[in-house]
Amino acid sequence: MDILKAEIERKRRQITNSNVLAPDKKYFKRGDLAAKQAEDYWRKHGRLQADSENTKENGESSTSKTDNTQEEKQAILPRKEVIRKLRERNEPIRLFGEEDFDSYQRLKKLEVQEPDINKDHGYDNDFKTAMDKVDEEYLVEIMKGEGSLPSNDVSVKDDGTSRDDIDQLRSEIGKGDPKKDQEVMLRFYRLILKLWGEQLNKREESLKRTNKGKMQSAFHTQTVAYLKPLFRKLKNGVVDEDILDSLVFITEHVMDKDYIKANDRYLEMAIGNAPWPIGVTMVGIHARTGREKISSRYVAHVLNDETQRKYIQAIKRLMTQAQELFPTDPSKCFNYKS
């Protein structure tokens, strides 16, 4: 009984201290007591102040966010400008259920991710670059103002090799000495480039300034640029063995003026003659049939890297020019035209 009385007295004291019981009343509601206890609890832990501050901040942030959105909508680009920019990027001008502001937001996102897709970071065009270089040199000569109109000549380098040295070069190549073979090929390819350039420079000035004449000069300029890595390897004697043999055979056939066989060797080197020219040997748990036949002469070397592809392509142009510079019987010419 003493314990029960003590508990009742404690409850009465708690109720009196919590100011739930009004002075003019003898009773109170249990809900008022629970609300007062909860308020005391949250005040003790500092939640009421934090919640009120968060609510106030959220209200201000939502208000500022709404204001920013309204300002952004007011600063939106004209619809015609948005359509033009989206079409430049090959993007749809409006998606399903999309409003003008949504289209504008999508355009902004595209501009952030790919800012210069149609300006400076497009696909490179090597031929156009070569033509631009020819045009630039032509304009530089015009700006110099050296009396008469400038010519659209190409750069020609002479290492002392002439047509009379071809027979000697033919007797030195293919003797089993890789260093000598690379030296002979370097001199022969430079000779073709020199004769090709001299032939272009002998054209009339009016022909050099035409679009066709500028294209021919651009082909020569581009070929010289493509062959620089190969010439560097030939000079140092470090050409890859997997294509050295093919280059030697191609050079021998071109010197012999047998352009049919030279073209066959070129195709064998460039694209290979294996059923799968890339050289895939394992396609699953079983080895590919005839995988032992895949060697350097069966693989498509034009697929190795971009630098090798370029000078392999340039070699084909040298073969075409050699066919014009050193004519032979039509039966030995590739794509012969009367």
Side-chain angles (χ1 to χ4, degrees), residues 160-226:
T161 307
S162 61
R163 290 174 179 262
D164 300 332
D165 299 329
I166 295 179
D167 293 336
Q168 179 183 357
L169 295 176
R170 178 65 183 90
S171 61
E172 295 175 354
I173 194 172
K175 302 299 182 182
D177 186 359
K179 294 289 185 181
K180 190 64 177 179
D181 292 341
Q182 296 179 60
E183 178 184 351
V184 170
M185 286 189 293
L186 178 61
R187 294 179 58 189
F188 182 68
Y189 292 154
R190 284 179 173 175
L191 173 63
I192 297 178
L193 280 177
K194 183 187 75 171
L195 297 177
W196 183 12
E198 291 176 350
Q199 188 180 39
L200 293 176
N201 292 339
K202 290 180 181 179
R203 297 172 298 172
E204 297 181 359
E205 294 297 326
S206 59
L207 295 177
K208 294 177 184 179
R209 298 191 187 98
T210 61
N211 188 32
K212 181 178 179 181
K214 291 168 65 176
M215 289 178 63
Q216 292 174 348
S217 300
F219 271 122
H220 184 275
T221 304
Q222 186 188 48
T223 304
V224 172
Y226 281 3

Side-chain angles (χ1 to χ4, degrees), residues 91-146:
E91 294 288 337
I93 62 175
R94 188 187 299 276
L95 298 178
F96 179 77
E98 192 177 54
E99 298 180 355
D100 293 348
F101 182 72
D102 298 331
S103 302
Y104 171 68
Q105 291 291 339
R106 180 162 54 89
L107 174 63
K108 286 180 59 178
K109 184 177 180 180
L110 290 173
E111 289 179 344
V112 171
Q113 294 176 350
E114 300 174 352
D116 299 324
I117 187 171
N118 289 326
K119 295 181 180 179
D120 300 328
H121 299 284
Y123 294 104
D124 293 334
N125 190 326
D126 298 319
F127 178 69
K128 184 178 182 302
T129 304
M131 287 198 66
D132 292 341
K133 184 178 180 180
V134 173
D135 291 338
E136 183 179 355
E137 293 175 353
Y138 180 71
L139 292 176
V140 169
E141 291 182 4
I142 291 179
M143 294 175 64
K144 289 180 180 178
E146 298 177 355

